[in-house]
Amino acid sequence: MSLTEFQQNCYNIVTDPNLSPKQKSNLLALAAENNLPYLELDSETQKALNERVICDMYEGHAPYKPRYVLPDYTKFLKQGSKWLELEPANTFDDALNMLTIIYHHVPSVTGMPVYLGCLDQILLPYVGHLTEDEIYERLKHFWIMLDRNLPDAFMHANIGPTDNILCRVILRIDRELKQVAPNLTFIYDENITPESLLLVAIENICETSKPHIANNNMIQKDFDDKGYGVVSCYNSLPVAGGGSTLSRINLKEVALRSKNSEDFLTNTLPYYCQLQLNLIKARSAFLYEQSNFFDGSFLVQEELIDPNRFAPMFGIFGMAEAVNILQENANLAGRYGFDEQANERALNITQLIAKFIDSHTIKNAWKGKAMLHAQSGISIDKDTTPGLRIPYGHEPDPVTHIMALFKHHHYYTSGISDILTIEETIKNNPSALLQICKAAFKFGFREFTANISGNDLVRVTGYMVRLSDIKKYNKEGSRINTTFLGAEAADDVNSYLCRKPRVISHEQIMGNR
């Protein structure tokens, strides 16, 4: 039988021995969406997209749901849901049951929720007279349910910044279970969070490479009283809203198309920034004006999300390669991450992009603007470093690493993550990692993330995978949807497996107290 290309693609999916029926169903739905004609774009934007100088993150040809949705779960528990036929929560068990239900109705680019809420803050009003042991049993079952029913490493829970029983129990459970999902962010605030609680989070990192730590003092300034959530690969977005779409520029490709540094800054980069803006506007317009998502979703009708609180994300990646290419073109030996002049060149690029974004208004965008994002990479990226990271295998010591990048963090309002890979002897002295984290925040890091060598749980780009799952994936498949992305990324010679574990010395700790 002769099959069309689309039919052959579907046939390959349904006969793949490593995919579960549910995974096949998700991939078949994506194949159907991508069999539609692409959104109408001008010829220059389409050419840049075809050449992948700009990238739509493969969100689909016709966006019918926002990329990331961050419902107001506190409001949901207080008011219940007419559409889901749920009364308001009165007890801790009510609240857990209601969250279990609504998560299955929160869309995202992955088909699963990327935001579970700031769980300790959401659930604290329902603790009542429960003992710590009773809370532990309930939350442990809940945590296992999340991983088994929603097995996607982009799913993200937040906790903190206050010291409370739920925060500590969640950290305890996450450390015990060592699950891929959910990913976890601990929101740290130096004016609220005691160092003893931060140390517990750091000790968890030593065992599980989780949680990611967010600098609340810095991030909250970019949001309003409704607050923000950290989702997926460390995207900070408005609660009761989210991210409508994400496109990214490959700065390496922009540099390769430039005559020199002046041409890059004056002509080539602004040109591709405009084309990316064209792409963002086209995708956003379809979502708001043609998909009917915001007209029909019960999340909107019950005011759990507000269409005006969604921001498109203006992503970049390949900063390291772009700077090094421009340095070579100028016959300069200094390299990104190590050389002051190269690092200053990178900062100029960030500032130019931030200024471009601030000077352009976008319809149907929170505050009328896109939000700048250091995109953490995807599994098929080759010879291009995610976001603003220093190329894997060439990272300097942790302090030099932080000093090379901290000036950028102010500009990346929808998220920037750099992963410090630390040698596993840090497990004997977690307070050293705590001091490095606090120093990073003191200098201006928006977020702090660390992988510990020797752990089974590691980050690929920004999500969690288990090395043991990747090792057996090609023979057995995986129940976790994102394992195949980790396996794909591990085949790249520039993959996370090449990250250089670093030792934190006593001198570095004392010098940054």
Short mmCIF file of all heavy atoms in Angstrom, two decimals, residues 16-54:
data_model
loop_
_atom_site.label_atom_id
_atom_site.label_comp_id
_atom_site.label_asym_id
_atom_site.label_seq_id
_atom_site.Cartn_x
_atom_site.Cartn_y
_atom_site.Cartn_z
N ASP A 16 5.54 1.96 16.80
CA ASP A 16 6.77 2.12 17.59
C ASP A 16 6.70 1.25 18.84
O ASP A 16 5.82 1.42 19.68
CB ASP A 16 6.93 3.59 17.99
CG ASP A 16 8.31 3.91 18.57
OD1 ASP A 16 8.82 3.08 19.35
OD2 ASP A 16 8.86 4.97 18.25
N PRO A 17 7.64 0.30 19.00
CA PRO A 17 7.58 -0.62 20.14
C PRO A 17 7.91 0.02 21.48
O PRO A 17 7.62 -0.56 22.53
CB PRO A 17 8.62 -1.69 19.78
CG PRO A 17 9.61 -0.97 18.90
CD PRO A 17 8.79 0.01 18.11
N ASN A 18 8.52 1.22 21.46
CA ASN A 18 8.94 1.86 22.71
C ASN A 18 7.94 2.87 23.24
O ASN A 18 8.19 3.52 24.26
CB ASN A 18 10.29 2.55 22.51
CG ASN A 18 11.43 1.57 22.43
OD1 ASN A 18 11.33 0.46 22.93
ND2 ASN A 18 12.52 1.96 21.80
N LEU A 19 6.80 3.03 22.57
CA LEU A 19 5.80 3.99 23.00
C LEU A 19 4.59 3.29 23.61
O LEU A 19 4.13 2.27 23.09
CB LEU A 19 5.33 4.86 21.82
CG LEU A 19 6.38 5.77 21.17
CD1 LEU A 19 5.79 6.45 19.94
CD2 LEU A 19 6.88 6.82 22.16
N SER A 20 4.08 3.87 24.69
CA SER A 20 2.85 3.36 25.29
C SER A 20 1.66 3.85 24.46
O SER A 20 1.78 4.80 23.67
CB SER A 20 2.72 3.86 26.72
OG SER A 20 2.44 5.26 26.73
N PRO A 21 0.47 3.23 24.62
CA PRO A 21 -0.71 3.73 23.89
C PRO A 21 -0.98 5.21 24.15
O PRO A 21 -1.36 5.94 23.23
CB PRO A 21 -1.84 2.84 24.44
CG PRO A 21 -1.16 1.56 24.80
CD PRO A 21 0.19 1.97 25.34
N LYS A 22 -0.81 5.66 25.38
CA LYS A 22 -1.04 7.07 25.69
C LYS A 22 -0.04 7.96 24.97
O LYS A 22 -0.40 9.01 24.43
CB LYS A 22 -0.95 7.28 27.20
CG LYS A 22 -1.18 8.72 27.66
CD LYS A 22 -2.58 9.21 27.33
CE LYS A 22 -2.83 10.59 27.91
NZ LYS A 22 -4.16 11.12 27.50
N GLN A 23 1.22 7.56 24.95
CA GLN A 23 2.24 8.34 24.26
C GLN A 23 1.97 8.37 22.76
O GLN A 23 2.15 9.41 22.10
CB GLN A 23 3.62 7.76 24.55
CG GLN A 23 4.07 8.00 25.99
CD GLN A 23 5.28 7.17 26.38
OE1 GLN A 23 5.60 6.16 25.75
NE2 GLN A 23 5.97 7.59 27.44
N LYS A 24 1.51 7.25 22.21
CA LYS A 24 1.16 7.22 20.79
C LYS A 24 0.00 8.17 20.50
O LYS A 24 0.01 8.89 19.48
CB LYS A 24 0.80 5.80 20.36
CG LYS A 24 1.99 4.84 20.34
CD LYS A 24 1.57 3.43 19.96
CE LYS A 24 2.78 2.50 19.96
NZ LYS A 24 2.44 1.12 19.57
N SER A 25 -0.99 8.19 21.38
CA SER A 25 -2.14 9.07 21.20
C SER A 25 -1.70 10.53 21.16
O SER A 25 -2.15 11.31 20.30
CB SER A 25 -3.14 8.84 22.33
OG SER A 25 -4.23 9.72 22.22
N ASN A 26 -0.81 10.92 22.08
CA ASN A 26 -0.33 12.30 22.12
C ASN A 26 0.43 12.67 20.85
O ASN A 26 0.25 13.77 20.29
CB ASN A 26 0.59 12.50 23.33
CG ASN A 26 -0.16 12.43 24.65
OD1 ASN A 26 -1.37 12.58 24.69
ND2 ASN A 26 0.57 12.18 25.73
N LEU A 27 1.28 11.76 20.37
CA LEU A 27 2.06 12.03 19.16
C LEU A 27 1.18 12.06 17.92
O LEU A 27 1.44 12.83 16.99
CB LEU A 27 3.17 11.00 19.02
CG LEU A 27 4.31 11.12 20.05
CD1 LEU A 27 5.27 9.95 19.92
CD2 LEU A 27 5.06 12.44 19.87
N LEU A 28 0.15 11.23 17.88
CA LEU A 28 -0.77 11.25 16.74
C LEU A 28 -1.54 12.57 16.69
O LEU A 28 -1.78 13.11 15.60
CB LEU A 28 -1.74 10.07 16.83
CG LEU A 28 -1.15 8.70 16.51
CD1 LEU A 28 -2.15 7.61 16.88
CD2 LEU A 28 -0.76 8.59 15.04
N ALA A 29 -1.91 13.09 17.86
CA ALA A 29 -2.60 14.39 17.90
C ALA A 29 -1.69 15.49 17.38
O ALA A 29 -2.13 16.37 16.62
CB ALA A 29 -3.06 14.69 19.33
N LEU A 30 -0.43 15.46 17.77
CA LEU A 30 0.52 16.47 17.29
C LEU A 30 0.73 16.33 15.79
O LEU A 30 0.83 17.34 15.07
CB LEU A 30 1.85 16.31 18.04
CG LEU A 30 2.94 17.32 17.70
CD1 LEU A 30 2.48 18.75 18.00
CD2 LEU A 30 4.22 17.01 18.45
N ALA A 31 0.81 15.10 15.29
CA ALA A 31 0.97 14.89 13.85
C ALA A 31 -0.21 15.45 13.08
O ALA A 31 -0.04 16.05 12.01
CB ALA A 31 1.14 13.40 13.56
N ALA A 32 -1.40 15.28 13.62
CA ALA A 32 -2.59 15.82 12.95
C ALA A 32 -2.55 17.35 12.90
O ALA A 32 -2.85 17.96 11.87
CB ALA A 32 -3.85 15.35 13.69
N GLU A 33 -2.17 17.96 14.03
CA GLU A 33 -2.08 19.42 14.06
C GLU A 33 -1.05 19.92 13.05
O GLU A 33 -1.28 20.92 12.35
CB GLU A 33 -1.69 19.89 15.46
CG GLU A 33 -1.60 21.40 15.59
CD GLU A 33 -1.10 21.85 16.95
OE1 GLU A 33 -0.93 21.00 17.85
OE2 GLU A 33 -0.87 23.07 17.10
N ASN A 34 0.06 19.22 12.96
CA ASN A 34 1.13 19.66 12.07
C ASN A 34 0.89 19.26 10.62
O ASN A 34 1.70 19.56 9.74
CB ASN A 34 2.48 19.14 12.56
CG ASN A 34 2.95 19.86 13.80
OD1 ASN A 34 2.52 20.98 14.08
ND2 ASN A 34 3.81 19.23 14.57
N ASN A 35 -0.22 18.59 10.36
CA ASN A 35 -0.61 18.33 8.97
C ASN A 35 -1.43 19.48 8.41
O ASN A 35 -1.70 19.55 7.21
CB ASN A 35 -1.42 17.03 8.89
CG ASN A 35 -1.56 16.51 7.47
OD1 ASN A 35 -0.58 16.46 6.73
ND2 ASN A 35 -2.77 16.13 7.09
N LEU A 36 -1.82 20.41 9.30
CA LEU A 36 -2.50 21.62 8.85
C LEU A 36 -1.50 22.57 8.20
O LEU A 36 -0.30 22.52 8.49
CB LEU A 36 -3.16 22.32 10.04
CG LEU A 36 -4.29 21.58 10.74
CD1 LEU A 36 -4.66 22.31 12.04
CD2 LEU A 36 -5.50 21.47 9.83
N PRO A 37 -1.97 23.46 7.34
CA PRO A 37 -1.06 24.48 6.80
C PRO A 37 -0.54 25.36 7.93
O PRO A 37 -1.24 25.62 8.91
CB PRO A 37 -1.95 25.29 5.85
CG PRO A 37 -3.13 24.41 5.57
CD PRO A 37 -3.33 23.56 6.79
N TYR A 38 0.69 25.84 7.78
CA TYR A 38 1.25 26.73 8.79
C TYR A 38 0.56 28.09 8.73
O TYR A 38 -0.01 28.47 7.70
CB TYR A 38 2.77 26.90 8.58
CG TYR A 38 3.50 27.33 9.83
CD1 TYR A 38 4.02 26.40 10.70
CD2 TYR A 38 3.63 28.68 10.16
CE1 TYR A 38 4.67 26.77 11.88
CE2 TYR A 38 4.27 29.09 11.31
CZ TYR A 38 4.80 28.13 12.17
OH TYR A 38 5.43 28.51 13.33
N LEU A 39 0.63 28.80 9.83
CA LEU A 39 0.11 30.17 9.86
C LEU A 39 0.71 30.99 8.73
O LEU A 39 1.87 30.80 8.34
CB LEU A 39 0.45 30.83 11.18
CG LEU A 39 0.02 30.12 12.47
CD1 LEU A 39 0.55 30.86 13.67
CD2 LEU A 39 -1.49 30.03 12.52
N GLU A 40 -0.04 31.92 8.22
CA GLU A 40 0.45 32.76 7.13
C GLU A 40 1.51 33.73 7.66
O GLU A 40 1.26 34.51 8.58
CB GLU A 40 -0.70 33.53 6.49
CG GLU A 40 -0.28 34.32 5.26
CD GLU A 40 -1.45 34.97 4.56
OE1 GLU A 40 -2.60 34.61 4.85
OE2 GLU A 40 -1.20 35.85 3.70
N LEU A 41 2.69 33.67 7.07
CA LEU A 41 3.81 34.54 7.45
C LEU A 41 4.32 35.26 6.21
O LEU A 41 4.19 34.77 5.08
CB LEU A 41 4.96 33.72 8.06
CG LEU A 41 4.66 32.89 9.31
CD1 LEU A 41 5.85 32.01 9.64
CD2 LEU A 41 4.32 33.80 10.48
N ASP A 42 4.95 36.42 6.41
CA ASP A 42 5.61 37.09 5.29
C ASP A 42 6.81 36.25 4.86
O ASP A 42 7.33 35.40 5.62
CB ASP A 42 6.04 38.50 5.68
CG ASP A 42 7.10 38.50 6.76
OD1 ASP A 42 8.30 38.45 6.43
OD2 ASP A 42 6.73 38.50 7.96
N SER A 43 7.28 36.45 3.65
CA SER A 43 8.30 35.57 3.07
C SER A 43 9.62 35.60 3.84
O SER A 43 10.29 34.56 4.00
CB SER A 43 8.56 35.96 1.61
OG SER A 43 9.00 37.32 1.52
N GLU A 44 10.01 36.76 4.37
CA GLU A 44 11.28 36.84 5.08
C GLU A 44 11.21 36.11 6.42
O GLU A 44 12.16 35.41 6.81
CB GLU A 44 11.66 38.31 5.30
CG GLU A 44 12.02 39.04 4.03
CD GLU A 44 12.35 40.50 4.28
OE1 GLU A 44 13.52 40.80 4.62
OE2 GLU A 44 11.43 41.33 4.16
N THR A 45 10.08 36.25 7.13
CA THR A 45 9.92 35.52 8.39
C THR A 45 9.87 34.03 8.14
O THR A 45 10.48 33.24 8.87
CB THR A 45 8.64 35.99 9.11
OG1 THR A 45 8.71 37.40 9.33
CG2 THR A 45 8.47 35.26 10.43
N GLN A 46 9.16 33.60 7.08
CA GLN A 46 9.08 32.17 6.76
C GLN A 46 10.46 31.61 6.42
O GLN A 46 10.80 30.50 6.82
CB GLN A 46 8.12 31.97 5.57
CG GLN A 46 7.86 30.51 5.24
CD GLN A 46 7.11 29.79 6.34
OE1 GLN A 46 5.99 30.15 6.67
NE2 GLN A 46 7.74 28.77 6.92
N LYS A 47 11.26 32.38 5.68
CA LYS A 47 12.60 31.93 5.32
C LYS A 47 13.47 31.77 6.57
O LYS A 47 14.19 30.77 6.72
CB LYS A 47 13.25 32.92 4.36
CG LYS A 47 14.65 32.54 3.87
CD LYS A 47 15.14 33.54 2.81
CE LYS A 47 16.48 33.11 2.22
NZ LYS A 47 17.58 33.20 3.20
N ALA A 48 13.40 32.73 7.48
CA ALA A 48 14.19 32.65 8.71
C ALA A 48 13.75 31.45 9.55
O ALA A 48 14.58 30.79 10.19
CB ALA A 48 14.04 33.94 9.51
N LEU A 49 12.44 31.16 9.55
CA LEU A 49 11.93 30.01 10.28
C LEU A 49 12.38 28.71 9.62
O LEU A 49 12.80 27.77 10.31
CB LEU A 49 10.40 30.07 10.35
CG LEU A 49 9.70 28.93 11.10
CD1 LEU A 49 10.15 28.88 12.56
CD2 LEU A 49 8.19 29.08 11.00
N ASN A 50 12.32 28.65 8.31
CA ASN A 50 12.75 27.44 7.60
C ASN A 50 14.23 27.14 7.84
O ASN A 50 14.63 25.98 7.95
CB ASN A 50 12.50 27.60 6.09
CG ASN A 50 11.03 27.63 5.75
OD1 ASN A 50 10.18 27.25 6.55
ND2 ASN A 50 10.72 28.11 4.55
N GLU A 51 15.02 28.21 7.93
CA GLU A 51 16.46 28.05 8.15
C GLU A 51 16.80 27.90 9.63
O GLU A 51 17.95 27.70 9.99
CB GLU A 51 17.21 29.26 7.57
CG GLU A 51 17.09 29.36 6.05
CD GLU A 51 17.75 30.62 5.50
OE1 GLU A 51 18.20 31.47 6.32
OE2 GLU A 51 17.83 30.75 4.27
N ARG A 52 15.78 28.02 10.48
CA ARG A 52 15.91 27.88 11.93
C ARG A 52 16.86 28.91 12.53
O ARG A 52 17.50 28.65 13.55
CB ARG A 52 16.31 26.47 12.32
CG ARG A 52 15.21 25.46 12.06
CD ARG A 52 14.02 25.66 12.99
NE ARG A 52 12.76 25.22 12.36
CZ ARG A 52 11.58 25.24 12.97
NH1 ARG A 52 11.48 25.68 14.21
NH2 ARG A 52 10.49 24.85 12.34
N VAL A 53 16.95 30.09 11.91
CA VAL A 53 17.59 31.21 12.58
C VAL A 53 16.66 31.69 13.69
O VAL A 53 17.10 32.09 14.76
CB VAL A 53 17.89 32.36 11.60
CG1 VAL A 53 18.67 33.47 12.30
CG2 VAL A 53 18.66 31.85 10.39
N ILE A 54 15.36 31.65 13.41
CA ILE A 54 14.36 31.78 14.46
C ILE A 54 13.63 30.44 14.54
O ILE A 54 13.58 29.68 13.57
CB ILE A 54 13.37 32.94 14.20
CG1 ILE A 54 12.61 32.72 12.88
CG2 ILE A 54 14.10 34.26 14.18
CD1 ILE A 54 11.52 33.76 12.64
#
